[in-house]
């Protein structure tokens, strides 16, 4: 049967609590035990169902984690204080000193910096590859490789990862496939397509209100338990626990994610089609000429569309900057990093969220200095937004 992530979340939360329509926040860092032996058993991991300390689990964090596990159809999930915490904790839990990672070269700049610079502290080697070139992924695997890492839809080039094929390549060599699904919640279900671990920046579409930073690791129960093991769990020991008050607000927002994703997708497709017709260089996976379009169609949960992320290549940084400033003056959206907000957000990737990538890498992967990345908002009147875009394009001498 077709997987419906929206139904999975809805079913879970409506059954799980009675009384208030939203679960109550447990505003406690620590929890009492009925007896000393139970406390020891919880520490040893032999007693389930008890709360120990909120760096480990808190009831509200559990509600949100359960919703995310339902969304991604994984056995379990653990929420973190940021998307970067989710990524770094998952990677450090899987890899030891001397291990090796095959990693997509088009990824969020923070992840890129972590992979290429920070992991040197642990003597973990990373080979960057174009993960859409499956042969180069296969080729990069070494005897000490532990994982293949990619973004489902990559930041900022919006390439589509062939998750089933990457899973097959990884699993044939006994490796884990870790997928960042930040750009494509609901529309893609990487775990159903073969990913072992799915990470998210909840900061973006999932929360949707740009009022907090948060993340999640969705995986098997065994993997989540390993993350919070009191002796060796990366998350338990590095401590990026999410504040339960924040979890409560994210959980409320997650229940409108299906509607928001549909509207982001509808608006982005409309903008992409029309701007393309005007002769602009548009990248949007919903356009038939996008190289990953057919692949995305074969993997996606169709009703949520092709997502809210689109880019325009204006070739030069100067053009990109003046165009963004003009759009902001017309209240089309905000010149800001991040994504998944009700308002359109735009940034010049090479000079912002991908600025961690050296100029040669940007050039190699085809990241133009004039690329403007858009997270298209929830505008009710997208035709009017298009008119404002056209005005800015004319005023800036682009049209
Ligand atoms: N993954 C992707 C694809 C991102 O775009 C970002 C941030 O922009 C992150 C992860 C990091 O998330 P956070 O800012 O919540 O730490």
């Amino acid at each position: 049967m077709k997987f419906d992530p929206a139904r999975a979340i809805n079913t879970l939360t409506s059954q799980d609590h009675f009384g208030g329509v939203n679960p109550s926040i447990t505003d406690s860092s620590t929890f009492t035990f009925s007896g000393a032996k139970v406390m020891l058993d919880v520490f040893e991991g032999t007693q389930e169902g008890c709360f120990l300390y909120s760096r480990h689990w808190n009831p509200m964090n559990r509600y949100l984690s359960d919703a995310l596990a339902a969304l991604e159809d994984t056995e379990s999930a653990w929420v973190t204080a940021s998307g970067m915490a989710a990524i770094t904790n998952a990677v450090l839990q899987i890899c030891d000193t001397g291990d090796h990672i095959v990693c997509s070269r088009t990824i969020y700049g923070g992840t890129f910096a972590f992979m290429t610079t920070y992991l040197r502290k642990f003597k973990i080697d990373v080979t960057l590859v174009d993960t859409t070139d499956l042969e180069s992924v296969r080729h990069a695997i070494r005897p000490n490789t532990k994982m293949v890492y990619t973004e489902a839809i990559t930041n900022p080039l919006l390439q589509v990862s062939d998750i089933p094929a990457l899973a097959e390549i990884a699993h044939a060599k006994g490796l884990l496939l870790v997928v960042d699904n930040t750009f494509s919640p609901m529309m893609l279900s990487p775990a159903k397509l073969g990913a072992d671990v799915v990470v998210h920046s909840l900061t973006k579409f999932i929360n949707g209100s740009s009022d907090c930073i948060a993340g999640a690791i969705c995986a098997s129960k065994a993997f989540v338990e390993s993350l919070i093991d009191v002796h060796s769990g990366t998350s338990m020991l590095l401590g990026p626990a999410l504040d339960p008050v924040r979890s409560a607000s994210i959980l409320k927002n997650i229940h409108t994610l299906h509607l928001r994703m549909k509207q982001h997708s509808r608006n982005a497709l409309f903008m992409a089609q029309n701007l393309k017709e005007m002769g602009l260089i548009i990248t949007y996976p919903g356009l038939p000429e996008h190289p990953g379009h057919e692949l995305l169609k074969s993997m996606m949960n169709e009703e949520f569309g092709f997502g809210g992320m689109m880019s325009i290549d204006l070739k030069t940084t100067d053009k990109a900057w003046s165009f963004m400033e003009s759009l902001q003056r017309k209240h089309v959206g905000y010149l800001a990093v991040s994504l998944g907000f009700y308002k359109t957000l735009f940034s010049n990737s090479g000079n912002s969220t991908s600025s961690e990538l050296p100029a040669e890498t940007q050039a190699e992967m085809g990241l133009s200095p004039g690329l403007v990345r858009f997270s298209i908002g929830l505008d009710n009147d997208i035709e009017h937004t298009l008119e404002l875009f056209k005005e800015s394009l004319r005023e800036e001498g682009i049209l």
Side-chain angles (χ1 to χ4, degrees), residues 129-252:
V129 295
D130 173 0
T131 40
T132 62
D133 174 0
L134 298 173
E135 217 27 66
S136 76
V137 175
R138 246 182 233 111
H139 217 78
I141 294 173
R142 303 180 191 161
N144 59 340
T145 306
K146 277 286 175 64
M147 71 159 90
V148 175
Y149 183 96
T150 194
E151 291 173 356
I153 297 193
T154 68
N155 182 2
L157 295 188
L158 308 180
Q159 291 179 328
V160 178
S161 295
D162 188 340
I163 299 169
L166 290 171
E168 202 182 309
I169 293 170
H171 296 161
K173 296 280 182 188
L175 319 178
L176 297 182
L177 175 64
V178 180
V179 176
D180 180 337
N181 200 26
T182 299
F183 276 26
S184 39
M186 290 210 161
M187 45 179 288
L188 282 173
S189 303
K192 287 211 86 69
L193 298 165
D196 302 284
V197 178
V198 181
V199 288
H200 271 289
S201 166
L202 305 182
T203 315
K204 314 290 163 38
F205 289 104
I206 290 185
N207 184 49
S209 48
S210 288
D211 55 0
C212 74
I213 301 285
I217 303 168
C218 305
S220 67
K221 191 163 178 282
F223 187 73
V224 170
E225 277 170 6
S226 75
L227 282 169
I228 52 169
D229 184 280
V230 295
H231 303 286
S232 58
T234 306
S235 300
M236 189 60 185
L237 300 176
L238 298 187
L242 182 59
D243 177 40
V245 178
R246 251 328 158 189
S247 286
S249 71
I250 299 171
L251 183 61
K252 280 173 270 194

Side-chain angles (χ1 to χ4, degrees), residues 292-369:
H293 180 71
E294 288 304 321
L295 171 63
L296 183 53
K297 272 175 51 184
S298 73
M299 297 191 295
M300 69 197 273
N301 302 316
E302 260 171 50
E303 66 192 289
F304 303 103
F306 296 96
M309 303 303 294
M310 176 195 90
S311 71
I312 307 181
D313 183 1
L314 296 174
K315 295 289 178 199
T316 67
T317 305
D318 282 355
K319 274 263 174 296
W321 289 12
S322 61
F323 181 56
M324 292 191 302
E325 286 167 5
S326 169
L327 289 178
Q328 181 159 256
R329 279 196 299 276
K330 292 182 193 298
H331 307 286
V332 168
Y334 297 127
L335 206 179
V337 295
S338 206
L339 42 129
F341 194 38
Y342 76 87
K343 193 100 178 159
T344 294
L345 301 179
F346 33 84
S347 52
N348 175 217
S349 301
N351 290 300
S352 57
T353 52
S354 295
S355 59
E356 294 88 344
L357 280 66
E360 318 81 76
T361 312
Q362 294 195 18
E364 239 173 67
M365 69 191 233
L367 173 52
S368 158

Side-chain angles (χ1 to χ4, degrees), residues 16-278:
D16 255 24
H17 43 84
F18 299 94
V21 292
N22 294 305
S24 304
I25 300 169
T26 305
D27 208 10
S28 290
S29 57
T30 191
F31 301 87
T32 59
F33 288 91
S34 55
K37 174 72 169 68
V38 188
M39 186 187 259
L40 174 66
D41 291 345
V42 173
F43 264 90
E44 294 296 313
T46 54
Q47 166 83 46
E48 284 198 39
C50 289
F51 290 95
L52 157 69
Y53 189 61
S54 287
R55 175 156 40 85
H56 181 257
W57 271 121
N58 170 288
M60 181 48 81
N61 287 4
R62 173 81 81 168
Y63 282 123
L64 179 59
S65 296
D66 286 350
L68 289 158
L71 167 70
E72 288 299 351
D73 200 39
T74 52
E75 263 181 352
S76 189
W78 199 78
V79 290
T80 56
S82 69
M84 280 310 294
I87 294 162
T88 57
N89 280 238
V91 170
L92 291 174
Q93 191 60 30
I94 294 167
C95 295
D96 288 322
T97 299
D99 286 341
H100 172 249
I101 299 170
V102 176
C103 179
S104 167
R105 70 178 177 190
T106 101
I107 45 172
Y108 165 58
T111 314
F112 184 92
F114 173 71
M115 290 282 185
T116 56
T117 308
Y118 198 85
L119 283 179
R120 284 193 215 137
K121 279 181 194 281
F122 300 91
K123 300 198 167 26
I124 295 170
D125 267 354
V126 176
T127 304
L128 297 174
V129 295
D130 173 0
T131 40
T132 62
D133 174 0
L134 298 173
E135 217 27 66
S136 76
V137 175
R138 246 182 233 111
H139 217 78
I141 294 173
R142 303 180 191 161
N144 59 340
T145 306
K146 277 286 175 64
M147 71 159 90
V148 175
Y149 183 96
T150 194
E151 291 173 356
I153 297 193
T154 68
N155 182 2
L157 295 188
L158 308 180
Q159 291 179 328
V160 178
S161 295
D162 188 340
I163 299 169
L166 290 171
E168 202 182 309
I169 293 170
H171 296 161
K173 296 280 182 188
L175 319 178
L176 297 182
L177 175 64
V178 180
V179 176
D180 180 337
N181 200 26
T182 299
F183 276 26
S184 39
M186 290 210 161
M187 45 179 288
L188 282 173
S189 303
K192 287 211 86 69
L193 298 165
D196 302 284
V197 178
V198 181
V199 288
H200 271 289
S201 166
L202 305 182
T203 315
K204 314 290 163 38
F205 289 104
I206 290 185
N207 184 49
S209 48
S210 288
D211 55 0
C212 74
I213 301 285
I217 303 168
C218 305
S220 67
K221 191 163 178 282
F223 187 73
V224 170
E225 277 170 6
S226 75
L227 282 169
I228 52 169
D229 184 280
V230 295
H231 303 286
S232 58
T234 306
S235 300
M236 189 60 185
L237 300 176
L238 298 187
L242 182 59
D243 177 40
V245 178
R246 251 328 158 189
S247 286
S249 71
I250 299 171
L251 183 61
K252 280 173 270 194
N253 289 350
I254 222 175
H255 292 294
T256 56
L257 178 62
H258 59 298
L259 297 171
R260 290 186 280 113
M261 285 312 291
K262 288 178 194 178
Q263 184 71 0
H264 283 300
S265 293
R266 205 176 292 132
N267 284 351
L269 181 61
F270 177 85
M271 292 300 288
Q273 282 170 336
N274 281 282
L275 294 168
K276 174 93 204 163
E277 273 173 27
M278 291 173 209

